[in-house]
Amino acid sequence: MLALRLLNVVAPAYFLCIALVTLVLQLFLFLPRMREDPTAARLFSPALLHGALFLFLSTNALGNYVLVIQNSPDDLDACQGAEARRALCPPPSTHFCRVCARVTLRHDHHCFFTGNCIGSRNMRNFVLFCLYTSLACLYSMVAGVAYISAVLSISFAHPLAFLTLLPTSISQFFSGAVLGSEMFVILMLYLWFAIGLACAGFCCHQLLLILRGQTRHQVRKGVAVRARPWRKNLQEVFGKRWLLGLLVPMFNVGSESCKQREK
C-alpha cells in the first residue's frame, strides 16, 4: 500500500515534468526555428499555425487533466443515505478504493497519473485527457522530427529511418558529432511516440467500453450489464453538449442514469 501511495505522488509529478519540458522545447526551440524561414507568409506563417495548434491541444489536455482531479467521483454527493445507495447505486457499480480511501460510483479504475479514481463524474474528462495528450505528444513528435531533420540534415523518407535514429545518434553523440541538446530532443521523440501511442490505445479501449455500457471494474469482476443502445451509453458519459466539451474543457456533472433515477 505504501508503494501505491508513493506511485500516486510520483506519477503526476512525472506527467507534469514531461508537460513542462514539452512546453519549453516548443516555445524556445521549435517555434524560433520556424520563424527563421524567410519564405513564410507573415499572416499564416508556420510558426503561428504551429503555435496555435499546439496551444489548443495542450490547453485541452491540461484542462481536462485538472478537471479529472477536481471532479472527484465520490458517490456521497450523488446518492445520499444508505437506502438511496441501495436503490439508486447498485453494489456492482460501486467500489471502495484503498488508495483514495473512498467509494466510487460506477468505478472504472484508479489512475495514478492523475492521483484519482475514474468514475461517473470524471469519465468524460479522462477520455478527453487521453485523447488530447495523445494528439499533443504525436504532434510534438512530428515537430521534433522536422527540427532534427533540419538541424542534422537527416532524411526520414525511409520507413526505418526513425527506428535507426536513436542507436545512430548515440554513437554520434559520444564521438562529438551530435550536441547534447540535439540528443535530448531525440530522446524526447521516442518518449512522445510511446506516450502518444499508449494514450491513443487507452482512449480507444475506454471508448469501446463506454459504447458497451461497461467499466473496466465490471469487466474484471465479470459483472453482467444490461444491453442498451450505444447512443444512450455514449450520451450518459459525454452528455448532450459533447461537441462543446471537445473544444473547451468542461466539468462532467455526474451520471445521467443516476439523475434520471433520482427524478
Side-chain angles (χ1 to χ4, degrees):
M1 180 55 64
L2 180 61
L4 293 179
R5 293 187 182 277
L6 181 61
L7 181 62
N8 211 41
V9 176
V10 173
Y14 170 77
F15 171 77
L16 293 177
C17 287
I18 294 297
L20 180 61
V21 170
T22 303
L23 181 62
V24 170
L25 289 177
Q26 292 281 359
L27 294 180
F28 299 101
L29 204 61
F30 299 160
L31 283 177
R33 185 73 183 184
M34 293 180 182
R35 293 196 189 100
E36 296 176 359
D37 187 3
T39 62
R42 295 184 61 183
L43 183 58
F44 297 103
S45 64
L48 180 61
L49 296 177
H50 169 76
L53 181 56
F54 176 74
L55 181 62
F56 172 75
L57 296 177
S58 59
T59 299
N60 277 276
L62 294 176
N64 283 287
Y65 178 81
V66 173
L67 292 179
V68 170
I69 299 175
Q70 290 184 346
N71 208 10
S72 174
D74 199 323
D75 70 332
L76 297 180
D77 295 332
C79 307
Q80 298 176 355
E83 295 296 330
R85 280 197 296 272
R86 285 194 293 268
L88 302 179
C89 307
S93 67
T94 60
H95 175 71
F96 178 78
C97 178
R98 295 182 298 170
V99 180
C100 295
R102 61 167 173 253
V103 179
T104 305
L105 174 64
R106 195 164 175 78
H107 178 84
D108 189 86
H109 69 284
H110 181 88
C111 176
F112 288 98
F113 283 98
T114 60
N116 201 2
C117 282
I118 307 302
S120 61
R121 293 190 168 190
N122 56 5
M123 176 60 74
R124 180 182 69 179
N125 298 122
F126 177 75
V127 172
L128 294 178
F129 159 68
C130 292
L131 173 64
Y132 281 108
T133 300
S134 173
L135 293 177
C137 286
L138 294 178
Y139 183 69
S140 298
M141 186 196 73
V142 173
V145 166
Y147 172 81
I148 291 298
S149 178
V151 172
L152 300 181
S153 300
I154 299 176
S155 175
F156 289 91
H158 195 275
L160 297 179
F162 182 75
L163 298 179
T164 59
L165 176 63
L166 183 60
T168 304
S169 301
I170 291 176
S171 61
Q172 292 179 350
F173 172 73
F174 286 107
S175 65
V178 176
L179 300 178
S181 60
E182 297 166 352
M183 190 64 207
F184 180 75
V185 173
I186 293 174
L187 293 176
M188 288 300 299
L189 292 181
Y190 288 89
L191 185 60
W192 286 327
F193 181 70
I195 296 177
L197 285 186
C199 288
F202 201 89
C203 180
C204 293
H205 174 69
Q206 206 68 46
L207 284 175
L208 181 61
L209 291 178
I210 292 174
L211 292 174
R212 293 176 177 176
Q214 292 179 309
T215 63
R216 292 179 62 188
H217 177 68
Q218 290 174 337
V219 173
R220 289 196 303 267
K221 296 297 182 179
V223 178
V225 296
R226 185 181 60 180
R228 296 192 310 171
W230 63 269
R231 293 180 182 272
K232 290 186 178 181
N233 295 328
L234 203 62
Q235 184 177 351
E236 182 182 12
V237 175
F238 289 91
K240 296 181 180 180
R241 296 180 296 176
W242 61 272
L243 182 58
L244 184 59
L246 286 176
L247 302 176
V248 180
M250 297 174 55
F251 275 109
N252 186 16
V253 288
S255 171
E256 296 292 333
S257 62
C258 195
K259 287 183 177 181
Q260 293 174 0
R261 291 173 184 175
E262 285 178 347
K263 294 179 180 178

